[in-house]
Amino acid sequence: MMRHTGTGQGRAAARTVEVRSWLLSLLLIPLLLPPAARAHSASDAYLNLIVHSHGADGQIAVEGQWDIALRDLDFVLRLDEDGDGRLTWGEVRSRQDAIERYAYASLHFDGGPGDACVIKPGRLMIDEHADGAYAVLSFNVLCARAPRKLALDYRMFFPIDPSHRGILVEHDGADIATAVLSPENTRIDLIR
Amino acid sequence: MTTVTQFMRSFLAAALVVLGASAAVAEPAVGANLASPAAAFKAPYLPSSDAEVLQDVPSATDPAVAAMKALRVQADAAPQSLPTAIRLADAYVDYGRQIGDAHYAGYAEAVIAPWLDASPPPASALVTKATILQYRHQFSDSRALLRRTIAIEPRNAQAWLTLATLDMVQGDYEAAAHDCVQVTGSAGLELGLACSANLRSCTGQARQSLTLLGQVEGAGEKVPLSYQAWIQGLLAETAERLGDWPLAENHYRRALRLVPRDNFLLVAYADFLLDRGRPAEVLPLLADHTQSDTAFLRLALAHSALHSGETARDTWIMAARFEALTLRGSDFFGREQARFALELEHDPQTALEIAQRNWHAQREPWDTRLLLEAALAAKQPEAATEALKFLQKSRLEDPVIEPLARELQAQLERNR
């Protein structure tokens, strides 16, 4: 710390400089710590889809299971109602509607021109992942006609966290494929 | 679409079982449980009671959380205010760094995103974005933004400070010395001293570094806690360079009294305890910090050192977390992954490959140390040649690294 000497006006001026200097420090310091301080777990959600193809007419049915971190949902929906930092099943369950509204507003299935598809929500469950507890949303995709093509559009959390990633895992018969959904990659053709 | 890895297949197995039977699932799918240690993860289930605690989340009564919430309200009410946006973004970055949660860097990124679309973007938004990129180890992109900032505002203290940190992390000590001079010119003597003290602790002048830090340390209670704690952390690390373990421990403890949940300090102190053969003390230290991957790795290492039955489960969880990072196509986390491969998976060859790749991105003492340890374990001393030259040039003092370097040097000379 620098010491300032002097009297009267001079000292007052020096004190101002000193305070301003520390105000600057206050703004700077949080950013000074080495980047090694990071911990790595950014936000991921897991979207598991099972695609069933039926018969020769090529009809398709899709079942989904969507795992979304409770931490992420709490950040946008403030699920921890009593604010004690411990999110209970009661707090999650009582906000099921809000969770589903928020989630399904950011996931759309498109069966091509004239074939809008809707999501029919199923039950809400919980799953433990390596980085914490996740809400598990189960759903079926219902289309006006059986689609021959199907694309999905995913924008979960992107407006508030562009580093969020949707990890899509598609199960089609014995095949498993994955894709990463990001703000740069919001649309995936499930069936071309 | 890419083919899913073998590991992820087993990870997803439980989900698949439940999905296949989703129409009929009325009870928790106990049949989907994987064999131990993967049994740590249940299949999706319905909690049996409303009172069941599922997840710790930031508490509304935490002053930092309340402050972020208040800033969010302000920012939402005044979307045209750049200073408010920057304050909120910086609060997110700081909080995320403290508790070891990368989500907050994403929240900060979203807050400043509209400002980065401006032409030209304001310097403060560029620096905040550069800090976020640096936090994510996207060093080249971060450096480019800092250069742009300095081109707009040659005396932007925060840009110089961030650049100094970046250059030190990457082992470019000549550039860092220049940056520290610029920090002194733009932010004042105190920060300039801290900057060069930090630098000297890595360039064979740890004793001088302690003296400089001692001068800065005297600022006492007038300055922010995070600043005091940062100085205490630097003192601890510098004492470690000199092999003065009691002094290092004293400073770690002082730092943690100031900021008890700081992820960086907790992890650095845990590493100190592991090095000193005191793994049992790591368990209570990090018990409440399992969410942070860096902290979790140290817990796993402590369990391993204690030959605890938890080790297999920890190793599985850690591997799953790394796998999740790989799946999301995330940036590279070499230091932790190399250490995990070396010490928990006992796979020196993989550890060496990761450590070498990591060392090309960052060269803090721990990065160099891991490369040397992996090269020794894999019996490939030639893999450490470049790192040994770097150590000679930088003159880094470190009582753990020095014997490793001597041993590798001797092996290289024998092989010659």
Side-chain angles (χ1 to χ4, degrees), chain A residues 1-3 18 21-22 24-44 46 48-50 52 63-65 67 69-72 74-76 78 80 82-93 123-134 136 138-140 158-165 167-171 174-180 188-190 192, chain B residues 1-4 8-9 11-12 15-16 18-20 22 25-26 41-47 49-61 69 72 90 92-94 97 100-104 106-107 109-110 131 134-137 139 157-158 161 165 169 186-187 189-191 215 219 222-224 226-227 230 262-264 291-294 317 320-322 324-325 327-329 331 333 335-336 364:
Chain A
M1 189 72 189
M2 281 185 293
R3 295 200 180 279
E18 190 172 314
S21 158
W22 283 117
L24 185 60
S25 307
L26 185 73
L27 296 175
L28 292 168
I29 293 312
L31 302 171
L32 246 175
L33 301 173
R38 65 173 303 148
H40 306 135
S41 45
S43 164
D44 297 319
Y46 295 85
N48 282 272
L49 299 177
I50 298 188
H52 301 284
E63 286 174 66
Q65 177 189 308
D67 291 16
L70 288 177
R71 273 192 296 167
D72 290 339
D74 176 65
F75 182 80
V76 286
R78 301 206 185 284
D80 180 25
D82 62 9
D84 68 349
R86 293 155 64 83
L87 193 54
T88 63
W89 171 236
E91 286 169 328
V92 172
R93 202 173 52 82
R123 66 167 62 235
L124 170 70
M125 296 171 88
I126 299 296
D127 197 8
E128 299 288 337
H129 283 233
D131 63 343
Y134 281 56
V136 178
S138 300
F139 60 87
N140 283 286
F158 293 154
I160 57 118
D161 179 4
S163 68
H164 173 79
R165 296 292 178 266
I167 313 292
L168 172 66
V169 183
E170 186 185 352
H171 310 271
D175 296 332
I176 303 178
T178 64
V180 179
I188 296 273
D189 288 326
L190 297 172
R192 273 181 267 268
Chain B
M1 292 278 216
T2 53
T3 305
V4 74
M8 204 58 200
R9 276 178 191 269
F11 189 63
L12 295 166
L16 189 57
V18 171
L19 263 174
S22 60
V25 172
F41 301 97
K42 293 178 266 192
Y45 69 102
L46 281 171
S49 145
D50 276 356
E52 184 174 332
V53 175
L54 304 174
Q55 175 72 52
D56 288 340
V57 292
S59 164
T61 57
K69 193 177 165 190
R72 180 99 222 179
D90 288 351
Y92 280 148
V93 171
D94 188 33
R97 182 152 35 198
D101 185 339
H103 291 55
Y104 288 85
Y107 302 149
E109 193 179 11
T131 308
Q134 188 187 26
Y135 176 73
R136 291 189 184 138
H137 293 205
F139 297 135
Q158 200 162 321
L161 215 36
T165 306
V169 167
S186 52
L189 191 59
E190 297 95 342
L191 279 176
Q215 290 174 24
K222 287 173 283 185
V223 299
S226 58
Y227 179 78
W230 179 60
D262 184 279
N263 184 68
F264 173 74
Q291 200 92 58
S292 147
D293 291 349
T294 48
I317 293 176
R321 290 191 184 188
F322 285 139
L325 287 169
L327 261 188
R328 84 193 300 275
D331 24 318
F333 313 100
R335 188 187 300 178
E336 273 71 32
E364 288 189 284

Side-chain angles (χ1 to χ4, degrees), chain A residues 145-166:
Chain A
R145 291 172 299 163
R148 291 173 190 283
K149 297 193 327 182
L150 192 62
L152 79 79
D153 186 89
Y154 180 104
R155 291 163 198 273
M156 180 80 160
F157 295 131
F158 293 154
I160 57 118
D161 179 4
S163 68
H164 173 79
R165 296 292 178 266

